[in-house]
Amino acid sequence: MTEPFVIRRAELSQAKALAQFAAHLFRDTYDKDTAASDIDAHIEKNFSVEHQAAEISDPAAAVFLATFDDCIIGYAHVIFGSFNHRSAFLNRIYVHADWRGRGLATELLETVLNEARQRGETRLELTVFEQNARAIAFYKRAGFAVTGHTAFTVGQDVQTDLVMAINVVEGFGT
C-alpha cells in the first residue's frame, strides 16, 4: 500500500520550499545532459523564491503541490488561456524520484485537467525534453500526442523539446 499524499494549491508561504524543491529536481533530472553552468543559469532565472511567488500568485495560472508529512514531493504549474484563450499550458510537472511509479504524477495531471475543465479550457499542451524518455512515455500513456517540436534554452544550451497536447474534455488516458 502506498502512503497517502495530499495535493493542494500552493500558498505564498510555500514559495521558498517550492523554489528549493524545483531547483533540486531540475538539477537531478538534467545534469547528465546539460552543462552545470547552463543548469545554474536556468535555476537562477526560473526557480528563485520571487519567481515561484509570482507563479503562485498569478490568477491566470495554478501551482499544485503534492506533499507527504508536510514535505513537497511533487508539483505542477499550469498556465491558462496561454495560446488561444481555450488552451492551457502545463509548464511543469515534477515528481521526486522516490515517489515515481506510485501514481503521484497521474494524480497531479488529473488535478491539472480538472482545473482546466473548470476554467473552460479545451486543450492542454506541454513541452518535454526530447531525451526525457520516461516523461514522454508517461504523457503518451495519459493520452497526449506529439504535435510538433520547439526550442528550449537552458542557460546557453538550446535544446529540442517535443510539443504534446491532449483534449481536456476527453481527459486522462483517452
Side-chain angles (χ1 to χ4, degrees):
M1 179 177 213
T2 302
E3 300 96 73
F5 51 82
V6 176
I7 297 176
R8 65 179 177 264
R9 193 174 301 270
E11 298 176 5
L12 273 177
S13 62
Q14 298 168 306
K16 181 178 180 181
L18 177 57
Q20 292 170 342
F21 176 82
H24 174 77
L25 255 63
F26 188 85
R27 186 176 308 283
D28 281 357
T29 301
Y30 298 107
D31 69 349
K32 293 172 193 71
D33 302 306
T34 308
S37 60
D38 289 325
I39 289 175
D40 291 343
H42 185 82
I43 287 172
E44 183 177 326
K45 179 181 177 185
N46 294 284
F47 299 125
S48 69
V49 174
E50 296 79 16
H51 192 88
Q52 295 310 298
E55 288 181 354
I56 291 168
S57 300
D58 184 356
V63 177
F64 297 101
L65 298 183
T67 60
F68 176 73
D69 282 343
D70 293 324
C71 293
I72 299 172
I73 58 172
Y75 87 106
H77 173 230
V78 59
I79 304 165
F80 299 100
S82 59
F83 289 108
N84 60 11
H85 303 292
R86 299 294 285 171
S87 292
F89 180 71
L90 180 58
N91 191 37
R92 291 182 211 104
I93 187 166
Y94 289 176
V95 173
H96 190 280
D98 292 346
W99 284 85
R100 292 180 188 147
R102 297 187 190 193
L104 179 55
T106 299
E107 292 293 326
L108 280 166
L109 183 55
E110 286 177 350
T111 301
V112 166
L113 287 168
N114 287 335
E115 181 77 13
R117 282 186 209 99
Q118 289 175 6
R119 292 187 185 223
E121 305 286 355
T122 59
R123 181 178 171 98
L124 179 64
E125 298 184 4
L126 60 86
T127 62
V128 59
F129 185 39
E130 67 180 353
Q131 294 180 29
N132 191 339
R134 182 182 185 101
I136 293 166
F138 168 73
Y139 293 129
K140 285 183 176 180
R141 280 191 312 274
F144 282 83
V146 175
T147 61
H149 297 82
T150 190
F152 184 80
T153 304
V154 178
Q156 298 297 314
D157 184 18
V158 179
Q159 301 176 349
T160 301
D161 279 8
L162 300 178
V163 178
M164 301 181 81
I166 189 172
N167 180 329
V168 170
V169 176
E170 292 174 5
F172 193 100
T174 58

